[in-house]
Amino acid sequence: MARPQPQLADIADDLAAGQFWDLFGEVEHETLDFKGGPGDSFKELLPAMAMTDGGLVILGVSDTGGVREITGCSLSQRVQDSITRYANQCDVPVGLKPFRVDGVELIAVMVPQVSDRIVTTPDGRLLRRVGGDSQPLVGDALASFVRDRSRRSAEEEPLNRRFDPADFDVELVNSALARNGRPAVVGADLDSALVDLHLAERASSAAAGGDIEVTTAAAVLFARDPRQFVPGAAVQLVRRAGIGPIAGPTSDHHECWGPLEVVFGCCVEFIDRHTRTYEAVSGLFREPIPEYPHAVVREALLNALAHRDYGRVGTTIDVTVWDDRIEIRSPGPLAGHITVDNMRLEHFSRNRRLMRTLRSMGFVEEYGEGVDRMFQEMESRLMRPPEFAAESDSLTVTLRNQFLIDLDEQAWLLALDPWAGSAAQRRVLVELRRRGEAAKRHLADVLPSIDVDALLDEMRLHGLIERVGRAGGTQYRLSDELIRRAGVPARDKAHERTVRLLREIERLGSISTAEAASLLDVDRAVARKILNNLAAAGKARPVGKTRARRYFPVVNTQS
């Protein structure tokens, strides 16, 4: 899970260098940036963070040759005046905290998210944080962003009736408070707790119906039945037979409603019940393989719940499980400047209160990474990527259960995790596993749009494959190290024989070459080769010499 964003109060006055890097990490992202001091780039960073999700800037950390080092930045009068001047030019109120790391002074600058107006640079540019960069919006993207940012989101609306703590799940609210380091409350103090979670506002006048206005976002997150506040705040789940597009017969239908966390769990349970889990064996590994990667289903559901337009009352999120796919349709178009083409890199939160709370509760990691993670997870299984269809009134994501490789090969790749290789690298590994060895020409045919020379060089550099032969006879094969990690490369009957032999060694306790040959109905030379391959891969332990040699099982603590 992603490191939670530190607040100024979380930063001690004195830190050791190790504590500093543990607290912040070394990678810049949308809500964290390192600067040597408050220079010109700092002037652009303030409005970019304010127009995204806010964030923290640490002054006194330089990047030299790609290596971050603590160089220091003292809060002198000149530095403070520079920070104040840039903040005033952008009209962004910032918070400051000086602190020390191994005796070196640094400054933490907290930049708030600004959601009720547009913040630009002094020369009029509108910037957004994309990863660790500040990038300008132009053209249609700029117009869409300004239009949606200027529009009040439905989650901001006050409840359509007087707030009653009995309508809310106090335990879930207290769980969210605990994640934010705040004490638990009882029902009578629930409205104040929602203010602490930024889900309610103190009313500016008594005419508002009380001292505190609770927002629709609070009802979506914590109301026992949000439908009484937002008609349609529910998910319709259907299992249909067939592959469509003509609707097949319905075998199950269910409606999920309640606090968002409860709805999410209900949806996951329904999808798990109506999709398959395969079991594949690769070497000594027996891998359960879900029909759809759990992380992808999770992200698709969370995106629908967190980003739907709750102003479209009476319309629900619709989830349909078909034989060949899952479709998740959420009400409302893509928000802000987001398009199907840029959604892997950009993000825009229609429901900023919801997203802030979900992140603090651990449901959401880094902002804007969910869609990209879906693509990466599908690629890691060599499945078809997610499909997004944006309409004027809805967004539909489709997950298809179509694979480029079979289940045995998927299980074999899973044995390599947490290695995060690209889809192209995984295709090469599977092809080499199938063939034993392959020429570059064959691999280029498998991956026609890839620079195969560069790909193979990179894989050799990382110890994934080896090159054998020379000139026109050059072939590539899996490296010994990779075989030790993921098991013996097996193909067709050879794979079946290897798995069968491993099971018999485990069942009998040991086996000789003659016994293996009789069991597999093969020549002793073939049996000896399989046993020696198992020994070389660390899957069997040979004891004795020549005809007296027996092969014993190896206890694999990682399996």
Side-chain angles (χ1 to χ4, degrees):
M1 183 165 293
R3 177 186 285 104
Q5 175 67 61
Q7 303 299 307
L8 292 183
D10 300 326
I11 307 173
D13 292 336
D14 289 278
L15 295 169
Q19 294 174 313
F20 174 82
W21 297 118
D22 286 343
L23 180 62
F24 297 105
E26 297 187 31
V27 179
E28 293 178 336
H29 46 78
E30 290 179 350
T31 58
L32 177 70
D33 205 302
F34 298 108
K35 296 292 181 192
D40 288 342
S41 61
F42 178 77
K43 179 170 57 177
E44 295 189 343
L45 183 58
L46 292 182
M49 279 190 167
M51 283 288 89
T52 312
D53 298 301
L56 200 60
V57 186
I58 306 299
L59 301 180
V61 179
S62 298
D63 189 348
T64 305
V67 178
R68 300 198 191 283
E69 56 180 344
I70 297 171
T71 53
C73 182
S74 300
L75 189 59
S76 64
Q77 187 64 55
R78 182 183 62 83
V79 169
Q80 180 165 318
D81 288 347
S82 295
I83 296 172
T84 303
R85 180 172 63 256
Y86 290 145
N88 288 340
Q89 287 176 348
C90 302
D91 194 17
V92 175
V94 299
L96 302 179
K97 179 181 176 62
F99 64 103
R100 291 174 297 277
V101 176
D102 287 345
V104 178
E105 295 186 19
L106 287 83
I107 306 169
V109 182
M110 180 61 72
V111 183
Q113 180 192 54
V114 176
S115 57
D116 57 350
R117 54 189 171 85
I118 300 298
V119 177
T120 68
T121 61
D123 59 2
R125 289 175 299 137
L126 198 160
L127 304 178
R128 292 266 299 170
R129 290 285 287 177
V130 179
D133 295 326
S134 299
Q135 298 184 2
L137 288 179
V138 297
D140 291 342
L142 174 61
S144 298
F145 179 89
V146 173
R147 182 175 59 250
D148 271 28
R149 178 53 68 97
S150 303
R151 183 184 299 144
R152 182 180 175 94
S153 172
E155 70 153 7
E156 300 277 350
E157 297 294 334
L159 298 183
N160 56 13
R161 65 189 216 185
R162 189 176 182 85
F163 172 72
D164 183 352
D167 293 330
F168 287 72
D169 189 319
V170 179
E171 289 188 7
L172 288 179
V173 174
N174 281 331
S175 176
L177 289 169
R179 290 291 191 112
N180 283 267
R182 299 181 182 276
V185 298
V186 296
D189 299 321
L190 192 59
D191 53 357
S192 295
L194 294 175
V195 171
D196 289 341
L197 292 171
H198 305 286
L199 297 172
E201 300 288 345
R202 299 197 179 277
S204 57
S205 67
D211 293 333
I212 292 177
E213 289 181 345
V214 178
T215 66
T216 295
V220 170
L221 284 162
F222 300 123
R224 299 183 189 279
D225 186 358
R227 297 174 300 176
Q228 62 185 318
F229 304 103
V230 185
V235 181
Q236 301 292 333
L237 299 121
V238 177
R239 175 65 171 101
R240 290 190 183 278
I243 60 175
I246 299 174
T250 299
S251 60
D252 194 6
H253 177 270
H254 186 67
E255 181 180 32
C256 292
W257 54 269
L260 190 145
E261 181 177 349
V262 173
V263 173
F264 173 73
C266 173
C267 292
V268 169
E269 191 278 329
F270 183 92
I271 292 174
D272 282 348
R273 190 167 71 248
H274 290 291
T275 55
R276 293 163 289 188
T277 297
Y278 307 100
E279 188 174 78
V281 176
S282 179
L284 287 180
F285 295 94
R286 186 179 296 273
E287 293 286 353
I289 301 179
E291 187 173 359
Y292 301 89
H294 288 152
V296 176
V297 173
R298 177 185 185 276
E299 290 293 345
L301 289 171
L302 280 175
N303 282 344
L305 290 166
H307 294 300
R308 67 155 288 182
D309 186 350
Y310 285 97
R312 296 175 182 262
V313 297
T315 56
T316 61
I317 295 171
D318 299 323
V319 177
T320 307
V321 181
W322 300 80
D323 291 347
D324 67 330
R325 67 192 186 279
I326 299 173
E327 293 178 349
I328 301 175
R329 178 185 179 276
S330 56
L334 286 169
H337 63 295
I338 301 303
T339 66
V340 170
D341 294 328
N342 71 11
M343 64 194 323
R344 289 190 69 172
L345 298 175
E346 297 268 3
H347 83 281
F348 181 98
S349 298
R350 172 186 282 119
N351 304 311
R352 290 182 287 275
R353 293 180 188 267
L354 275 176
M355 287 298 293
R356 183 190 296 117
T357 306
L358 289 173
R359 188 170 189 264
S360 71
M361 294 172 66
F363 276 92
V364 178
E365 297 185 0
E366 291 302 332
Y367 291 124
E369 291 187 355
V371 172
D372 190 48
R373 187 177 299 114
M374 291 171 64
F375 278 87
Q376 291 174 0
E377 289 286 341
M378 297 293 267
E379 288 171 357
S380 72
R381 290 269 300 272
L382 295 182
M383 299 176 69
R384 282 186 57 173
E387 301 168 11
F388 292 85
E391 304 293 341
S392 60
D393 61 349
S394 66
L395 175 68
T396 301
V397 59
T398 301
L399 309 175
R400 299 189 182 274
N401 59 6
Q402 297 176 7
F403 310 95
L404 296 173
I405 59 177
D406 63 31
L407 290 171
D408 170 72
E409 291 163 339
Q410 291 183 52
W412 183 75
L413 285 176
L414 286 173
L416 293 173
D417 286 342
W419 170 64
S422 68
Q425 289 178 335
R426 290 171 181 260
R427 285 293 305 276
V428 168
L429 294 182
V430 169
E431 197 64 24
L432 295 182
R433 181 176 184 265
R434 289 173 179 174
R435 300 173 62 89
E437 295 181 353
K440 181 178 68 176
R441 180 179 64 256
H442 173 80
L443 297 174
D445 290 340
V446 173
L447 298 165
S449 60
I450 299 293
D451 183 346
V452 174
D453 285 318
L455 178 67
L456 295 176
D457 286 344
E458 182 181 6
M459 295 181 71
R460 288 179 59 215
L461 182 64
H462 287 89
L464 300 173
I465 62 174
E466 298 172 351
R467 186 172 61 190
V468 294
R470 294 183 179 181
T474 298
Q475 300 275 315
Y476 293 88
R477 67 186 182 192
L478 300 176
S479 69
D480 291 341
E481 174 59 28
L482 185 134
I483 292 172
R484 280 192 288 270
R485 289 171 56 193
V488 177
R491 305 178 302 279
D492 304 324
K493 290 184 179 179
H495 172 56
E496 296 173 4
R497 290 169 176 170
T498 299
V499 172
R500 185 179 178 190
L501 204 52
L502 281 169
R503 290 174 178 169
E504 287 301 306
I505 293 173
E506 292 175 346
R507 186 179 70 85
L508 298 173
S510 69
I511 200 169
S512 68
T513 301
E515 291 168 345
S518 176
L519 175 71
L520 300 177
D521 193 21
V522 295
D523 292 336
R524 290 192 180 189
V526 174
R528 185 180 299 109
K529 182 177 180 181
I530 296 173
L531 290 168
N532 287 338
N533 284 339
L534 289 174
K539 305 301 183 185
R541 179 170 57 88
V543 176
K545 297 182 178 181
T546 61
R547 294 184 180 182
R549 178 174 296 170
R550 298 189 68 83
Y551 294 81
F552 290 78
V554 173
V555 178
N556 190 335
T557 59
Q558 296 182 344
S559 64

